[in-house]
Amino acid sequence: LRQVVNLMRELHHPPAPSYIGMKAQDITQDVLQRHEHPGSAFRNVLLVMAGLALLGVVGVVMLLSEGFDDSNTWGYHAVIFAYIFTVAQSAVLVSIVLRMVKSHWRRPLARISEMFAAVGLFNFLLMIPLLWVLPSTDGRRSIWFGAPEHSPHFWDTLGMGLLVVCGLALLYFASIPDMAAIRDSESTSRRNFYRRMSMNWHGTSHQWKVLRAGISVLGGFYFLLLIFVHMMISVDFSMSLIPGWKDAIFPAYHAISGIQSSIALILVTMFILRWRTGMREYISVHQFWGLSKILLATCLLWFYHWWASFFTYWYGRTPAELAVLKFLMFETYKVPFFLAWFMCFLLPFLILMWNIVRKTTWGPTLAGCIILIGTFFNVVHWYVAAFSIEDHSLHVLESAPPVNMPGVADVFVIVGGIAGAILTYMLATRIFPIISLWE
């Protein structure tokens, strides 16, 4: 009986993280040592990602050789752009929200989350060719009926650009105290670089007050911009291109999918850091347990938003609504849709519903991997379907085009796009420490 009681106590109260008993000087020295000397494995992975990213460049060149007239050619390029936006750029929000609610267990994962702002710069480059493929709003439905000039190209570029700048500013200002610590370290070989980056930081009370206020303001702006850009990207690059698809819930559904997949991405990233970089002292089961409970809630929210969007069309049954259901869910793109349904809701829900599984490092990571794969298929059935439509002036999808299967160039773009995002993240870790020292 005593063993059972001890087991139940351990399940509900895991042991304290190792860094709780460490001195501040030891933590600083250890993290800076890891930052200065990432190891040969890091360099090998970096070279592999660089090679795969070059493969993506070859794929983009192959697409460019076919021009911008046929939007069907660019369907999978739109998928990788939307996937990185949904998964990576939404990941910055995890640190922002957890900081707003003053949760202390999130401190070791704060920089892991904020570092994904650097991936937004890479994704902005992926967006540029799609602006030439995206048709104008003349003669078709769009949300820009009150601002037809330069729509949607100008507004989408402005929104994404502001989001990227805000994310990079948040990452930079949240890293200033750590860059000052690197500047003052005797072992650093880039003292002049960090002297300029740390902006004469000395940790005065006034500097701390300004820093905390700046991080709060930038976090609030990023939150607002991210939801707004989710609305623009989901509508302009997907919903408005499919005749008969009019759904006010879809932008919120798109944002919920981003929040869910971003938590999954951070769980997988933390697991890799624990497994390959030996950061068990800083990333403990507390972070996995805390995020897993939020991830379980987002699985239910994902299903709720899908259902609220679906049953309106199912019970409405107008010709336009039935055509959209058949095209996106039950006929043309039924395979990616059902894969997304099972992997974004059912499977992770069945895994995370057990507290004994959530209270581990492998359980939430397994659910996170499944969700990341499911989100990819979800994006495929949204964006590949939208870019396969030729006539955008119709009000009803009279004849659905066939499934757009990926070609060689599409595979290159998908592999290279994901590798490029990973490469960008890894390069950012050479500037900013992956663990936030001051927090």
Side-chain angles (χ1 to χ4, degrees), residues 133-145 151-153 156 235-243 390-395:
V133 183
L134 198 65
S136 67
T137 57
D138 294 337
R140 69 179 182 91
R141 297 179 301 108
S142 77
I143 59 174
W144 304 108
F145 55 87
S151 298
H153 307 79
D156 289 347
V235 173
D236 289 336
F237 287 84
S238 182
M239 185 170 65
S240 66
L241 300 180
I242 299 179
E390 296 181 358
D391 190 354
H392 304 100
S393 62
L394 300 175
H395 294 280

Side-chain angles (χ1 to χ4, degrees), residues 95 350 414 421:
S95 175
L350 294 177
I414 292 172

Side-chain angles (χ1 to χ4, degrees), residues 245-315:
W245 190 11
K246 296 176 288 184
D247 187 358
I249 300 174
F250 178 63
Y253 176 29
H254 199 279
I256 286 295
S257 178
I259 294 172
Q260 180 197 40
S261 58
S262 65
I263 297 173
L265 178 62
I266 293 175
L267 284 168
V268 174
T269 305
M270 290 194 304
F271 187 85
I272 293 173
L273 290 174
R274 276 177 55 93
W275 172 47
R276 297 302 301 173
T277 65
M279 290 189 175
R280 296 176 181 271
E281 297 88 353
Y282 312 110
I283 304 172
S284 67
V285 70
H286 285 264
Q287 285 72 49
F288 289 88
W289 187 31
L291 285 182
S292 67
K293 290 181 280 189
I294 306 174
L295 188 63
L296 176 61
T298 59
C299 291
L300 297 174
L301 284 173
W302 189 97
F303 174 80
Y304 170 78
H305 282 80
W306 169 79
W307 175 254
S309 176
F310 165 74
F311 83 84
T312 303
Y313 276 62
W314 180 259
Y315 287 105

Side-chain angles (χ1 to χ4, degrees), residues 139-361:
R140 69 179 182 91
R141 297 179 301 108
S142 77
I143 59 174
W144 304 108
F145 55 87
E149 295 296 330
H150 311 295
S151 298
H153 307 79
F154 172 77
W155 302 110
D156 289 347
T157 305
L158 179 63
M160 181 63 75
L162 290 175
L163 183 69
V164 171
V165 171
C166 187
L168 292 175
L170 176 65
L171 171 62
Y172 173 70
F173 282 107
S175 304
I176 288 178
D178 292 349
M179 291 189 290
I182 300 175
R183 174 199 64 194
D184 300 334
S185 174
E186 296 180 356
S187 61
T188 183
S189 59
R190 297 177 288 173
R191 183 169 285 105
N192 291 332
F193 171 76
Y194 284 107
R195 183 179 292 113
R196 292 190 294 269
M197 293 287 288
S198 58
M199 295 178 62
N200 198 31
W201 174 268
H202 294 289
T204 64
S205 59
H206 177 70
Q207 287 179 332
W208 278 113
K209 186 181 297 184
V210 173
L211 179 73
R212 294 180 187 278
I215 290 175
S216 299
V217 171
L218 288 171
F221 274 112
Y222 193 90
F223 194 166
L224 296 174
L225 281 169
L226 179 67
I227 302 303
F228 184 67
V229 175
H230 263 291
M231 184 269 293
M232 290 196 300
I233 298 301
S234 63
V235 173
D236 289 336
F237 287 84
S238 182
M239 185 170 65
S240 66
L241 300 180
I242 299 179
W245 190 11
K246 296 176 288 184
D247 187 358
I249 300 174
F250 178 63
Y253 176 29
H254 199 279
I256 286 295
S257 178
I259 294 172
Q260 180 197 40
S261 58
S262 65
I263 297 173
L265 178 62
I266 293 175
L267 284 168
V268 174
T269 305
M270 290 194 304
F271 187 85
I272 293 173
L273 290 174
R274 276 177 55 93
W275 172 47
R276 297 302 301 173
T277 65
M279 290 189 175
R280 296 176 181 271
E281 297 88 353
Y282 312 110
I283 304 172
S284 67
V285 70
H286 285 264
Q287 285 72 49
F288 289 88
W289 187 31
L291 285 182
S292 67
K293 290 181 280 189
I294 306 174
L295 188 63
L296 176 61
T298 59
C299 291
L300 297 174
L301 284 173
W302 189 97
F303 174 80
Y304 170 78
H305 282 80
W306 169 79
W307 175 254
S309 176
F310 165 74
F311 83 84
T312 303
Y313 276 62
W314 180 259
Y315 287 105
R317 290 185 174 273
T318 65
E321 292 169 337
L322 287 176
V324 170
L325 288 179
K326 291 178 181 179
F327 184 51
L328 292 178
M329 297 184 188
F330 298 118
E331 288 185 3
T332 309
Y333 286 93
K334 63 181 179 181
V335 173
F337 164 70
F338 282 110
L339 285 173
W341 197 90
F342 278 101
M343 301 179 81
C344 288
F345 165 62
L346 187 60
L347 294 181
F349 175 76
L350 294 177
I351 293 173
L352 295 173
M353 65 185 292
W354 305 102
N355 188 51
I356 193 172
V357 176
R358 293 199 306 270
K359 195 71 66 68
T360 62
T361 58

Side-chain angles (χ1 to χ4, degrees), residues 4 28 116 135 159 245 291 309 324 358-359 379 434-435 439:
V4 173
T28 301
F116 283 103
W245 190 11
L291 285 182
S309 176
V324 170
R358 293 199 306 270
K359 195 71 66 68
V379 172
I434 195 68
I435 297 295
E439 292 199 272

